[in-house]
Amino acid sequence: MTISAIITAAGKNSRMRKDQISRNLEVKNKLVLPFNNKTVLETTIDNTLSSNIDECIVVLGHYSDEILEAISNNYEDKVKFIINNPCDVGLSTSLYNGLSNISSDFALCVTGDQPTVSTETFNRMINVLDKCENPYKTISILRRRKTGLLDTAEGLGMPFVAPRINLMEYLENEDDNLNPILRKIFADGFTFYGVKEKNKKELLNINHYDDYLELSH
């Protein structure tokens, strides 16, 4: 089974920006804030690259210049950066653009603001599809409530592992957040398997400045 990672790093950064302004802090994209001696995005990329994947694509959009400038050149041969055009699109479009640039059968889909999700958890998600009977009708996802076979897609989001072609069919011509699309996939009979986190911090994204403070210390 071939698997590519798609990391979305194309958002508007609006909630973080608002928090930084209210605290009289320098306004910076959350993905370039320091995290574990690197940046938030670099930590996410490193954890993803260490997992059992064949290639890694990072999808940029808003603030792409700022992000690329802050990323070290260490990823030259390991990561392919693509930029949304136009850049003012929803998460589903960013993911679709990433999926359009890979040839693998499956995709590990991650958001750039998930630096706490461990390589171990990514591998557990990948292993679910590797071992299940019908991987082309299965989505392995970091659980939010229950683990194991799920009876709903409510509240779910990235990271997850899914069959590329099937996922692209649902994302095409959509410009939305992911949860409504995941609910539609679930309603069409796909098996959703919730993978347990290694620790509680893996369940948190960095949306607000307080999230960043909590996760980076």
Side-chain angles (χ1 to χ4, degrees), residues 4-195:
S4 300
I6 311 288
I7 299 175
T8 57
K12 289 181 180 176
N13 195 50
S14 49
R15 285 172 287 191
M16 179 65 77
R17 188 182 176 84
K18 194 175 170 186
D19 287 353
Q20 289 168 330
I21 290 168
S22 72
R23 292 169 184 242
N24 291 320
L25 296 168
E26 182 188 356
V27 176
K28 293 179 81 171
N29 189 290
K30 62 183 177 180
L31 299 178
V32 305
L33 292 173
F35 197 95
N36 291 352
N37 300 318
K38 298 171 191 166
T39 62
V40 168
L41 181 56
E42 283 172 314
T43 307
T44 304
I45 291 173
D46 289 348
N47 291 343
T48 306
L49 281 174
S50 298
S51 66
N52 299 326
I53 59 164
D54 298 297
E55 65 175 338
C56 182
I57 307 274
V58 174
V59 184
L60 302 170
H62 293 281
Y63 306 102
S64 58
D65 289 346
E66 182 186 348
I67 292 169
L68 283 171
E69 202 175 295
I71 293 288
S72 66
N73 292 324
N74 301 343
Y75 300 118
E76 230 165 70
D77 303 321
K78 297 177 184 174
V79 177
K80 180 180 177 186
F81 292 92
I82 65 167
I83 300 177
N84 288 334
N85 184 17
C87 75
D88 197 15
V89 293
L91 181 55
S92 61
T93 303
S94 290
L95 196 50
Y96 183 85
N97 290 344
L99 291 164
S100 303
N101 279 272
I102 64 171
S103 55
S104 299
D105 299 327
F106 295 90
L108 167 63
C109 304
V110 184
T111 65
D113 61 357
Q114 295 181 315
T116 54
V117 183
S118 63
T119 299
E120 190 180 319
T121 296
F122 288 143
N123 282 339
R124 283 211 302 271
M125 289 163 55
I126 292 166
N127 288 343
V128 167
L129 264 77
D130 210 15
K131 291 174 180 171
C132 73
E133 276 183 30
N134 190 357
Y136 290 96
K137 287 283 282 184
T138 302
I139 289 183
S140 169
I141 196 160
L142 180 61
R143 70 103 188 190
R144 297 306 191 274
R145 297 168 194 162
K146 293 182 181 177
T147 59
L149 289 176
L150 302 180
D151 54 11
T152 177
E154 293 290 331
L156 296 176
M158 294 201 273
F160 61 81
V161 184
R164 179 179 69 97
I165 295 293
N166 294 6
L167 182 57
M168 285 182 76
E169 287 173 4
Y170 283 94
L171 292 172
E172 194 170 11
N173 302 320
E174 295 283 352
D175 191 30
D176 201 350
N177 284 327
L178 277 180
N179 187 257
I181 297 165
L182 290 172
R183 292 204 306 264
K184 197 182 291 183
I185 296 171
F186 184 86
D188 283 350
F190 277 70
T191 298
F192 276 59
Y193 191 93
V195 171

